[in-house]
């Protein structure tokens, strides 16, 4: 039987070949048991975690415990031996490469990083690892690093990572209650109507035959539709490059899009449904124009998480964060269209 240890020791799946005992610390108090174990036992399938809970192999203070029970500081948890498949063992033996990302803001509670386009925020759906796994490898001494929210893989810009459980809860509560101001910059095809300032259209997620996720606008009375609200402000317009003059005679509009709800692909679907798809969007965009845009230097989707207003989860102070457009987007715009922070 192994000796007890605290969560600070960060036990990993490699050390789970024998019974383990751990003491829940203050930072982890209040978490559901299933979420606590999923974070603790990296790489262990969720189905296995739920099985050992249901079977009673996981014990709290020597008694049985349910998946939805919340752990308290000082609880002693018994974790049974974990036997992993070869695939999971290989993943555990070859963790994500450590990587730091540009930091826009950081204190003891949370940090805001500048996520580049093309990088997933977390592993899954065919992606071995993402930002959060790389950050944890780069900062092994960090007691907690958890995503506060998500960005599409193709989107760049502001991404919040909590460093304390209290900060994670406080920030996620703000997002859920729509108390944050989250504004993106999007370059779209054509002339956006200045009077069209609010898109209030429900969205529905579905899967393509190959299992890939997609989203579409549905009618207000659709029972599967989720209310989704995007606020639009025209920041400027630009003519199309000469090579696109025929394909896109009305040029492009640069929009500031503030989302009041955080649905999957919300901005991309709302703008495309309005007839003004985002330049470079490979899921909902104009594919022929995207091909021509790539030839003249725009090789990614022009969507960037630009500004975020929030209340600091610990101090209560107002915080406003900005992420400048990355060079591959900034250099493609005329100087007159560069947004000011």
């Amino acid at each position: 039987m192994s000796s007890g240890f605290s969560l600070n020791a960060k036990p990993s799946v490699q050390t789970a070949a024998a019974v383990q005992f751990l003491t829940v610390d203050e930072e982890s108090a209040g978490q559901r048991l299933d979420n606590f174990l999923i974070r603790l036992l990296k790489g262990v399938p969720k189905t296995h975690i739920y099985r050992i809970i249901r079977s009673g192999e996981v014990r709290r203070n020597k008694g049985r415990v349910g998946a939805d029970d919340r752990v308290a500081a000082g609880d002693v948890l018994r974790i049974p031996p974990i036997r992993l498949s070869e695939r999971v063992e290989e993943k555990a033996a070859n963790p994500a490469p450590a990587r730091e990302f540009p930091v826009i803001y950081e204190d003891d509670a949370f940090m805001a990083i500048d996520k580049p386009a093309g990088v997933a925020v977390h592993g899954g759906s065919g992606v071995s690892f993402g930002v959060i796994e790389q950050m944890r490898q780069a900062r092994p001494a960090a007691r907690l690093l958890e995503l506060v929210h998500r960005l599409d893989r193709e989107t760049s810009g502001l991404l919040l990572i909590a460093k304390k459980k209290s900060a994670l809860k406080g920030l996620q509560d703000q997002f859920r209650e729509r108390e944050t101001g989250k504004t993106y910059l999007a370059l779209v095809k054509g002339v956006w109507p200045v009077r069209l300032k609010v898109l209030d259209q429900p969205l529905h997620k579905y899967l393509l035959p190959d299992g890939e996720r997609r989203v579409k606008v549905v009618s207000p009375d659709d029972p599967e539709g989720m209310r989704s609200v995007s606020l639009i402000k025209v920041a400027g317009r630009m003519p199309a490059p000469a090579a696109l003059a025929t394909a896109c005679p009305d040029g492009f509009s640069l929009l500031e899009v503030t989302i009041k709800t955080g649905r999957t692909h919300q901005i991309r679907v709302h703008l495309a449904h309005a007839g003004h798809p985002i330049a470079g969007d490979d899921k909902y965009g104009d594919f022929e124009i995207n091909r021509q845009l790539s030839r003249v230097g725009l090789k990614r989707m022009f969507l960037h998480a630009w500004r975020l207003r929030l209340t600091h989860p610990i101090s209560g102070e107002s915080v406003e964060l900005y992420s400048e457009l990355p060079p591959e987007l900034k250099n493609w715009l005329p100087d007159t269209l560069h947004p000011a922070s």
Side-chain angles (χ1 to χ4, degrees), residues 155-176:
T155 304
S156 56
L158 285 163
L159 180 67
L160 300 187
I161 297 174
K163 298 168 66 176
K164 288 185 175 181
K165 179 175 172 291
S166 55
L168 177 64
K169 182 180 185 302
L171 290 169
Q172 288 183 334
D173 285 348
Q174 289 183 52
F175 276 91
R176 184 171 54 254

Side-chain angles (χ1 to χ4, degrees), residues 159-314:
L159 180 67
L160 300 187
I161 297 174
K163 298 168 66 176
K164 288 185 175 181
K165 179 175 172 291
S166 55
L168 177 64
K169 182 180 185 302
L171 290 169
Q172 288 183 334
D173 285 348
Q174 289 183 52
F175 276 91
R176 184 171 54 254
E177 299 300 323
R178 306 177 189 178
E179 295 172 351
T180 59
K182 192 176 182 183
T183 302
Y184 293 72
L185 293 174
L187 190 73
V188 301
K189 173 187 172 183
V191 178
W192 185 273
V194 175
R195 293 183 179 179
L196 184 54
K197 297 180 179 180
V198 180
L199 299 178
D200 186 351
Q201 300 160 324
L203 299 177
H204 168 60
K205 286 191 290 187
Y206 65 99
L207 296 178
L208 296 176
D210 63 1
E212 190 171 353
R213 180 177 55 183
R214 285 290 190 276
V215 179
K216 63 181 178 180
V217 171
V218 294
S219 63
D221 58 355
D222 191 313
E224 296 186 336
M226 301 290 289
R227 190 185 182 197
S228 307
V229 181
S230 303
L231 308 181
I232 314 297
K233 177 183 177 182
V234 177
R237 297 192 177 93
M238 63 173 284
L244 276 81
T246 301
C248 197
D250 294 328
F252 298 89
S253 299
L254 182 66
L255 307 180
E256 296 178 16
V257 185
T258 299
I259 56 173
K260 305 305 291 183
T261 53
R263 311 300 182 199
T264 300
H265 298 169
Q266 175 176 323
I267 295 175
R268 302 166 69 172
V269 175
H270 269 172
L271 299 184
H273 185 261
H276 300 274
I278 297 176
D281 186 346
D282 64 356
K283 287 184 171 65
Y284 308 99
D286 185 315
F287 305 123
E288 175 57 29
I289 288 180
N290 288 348
R291 186 176 64 82
Q292 296 185 45
L293 284 170
S294 181
R295 291 178 176 175
V296 295
L298 185 64
K299 300 182 182 298
R300 53 157 289 195
M301 178 173 64
F302 201 121
L303 182 61
H304 180 73
W306 172 53
R307 183 178 66 207
L308 182 59
R309 296 189 178 109
L310 55 91
T311 301
H312 194 283
I314 306 301

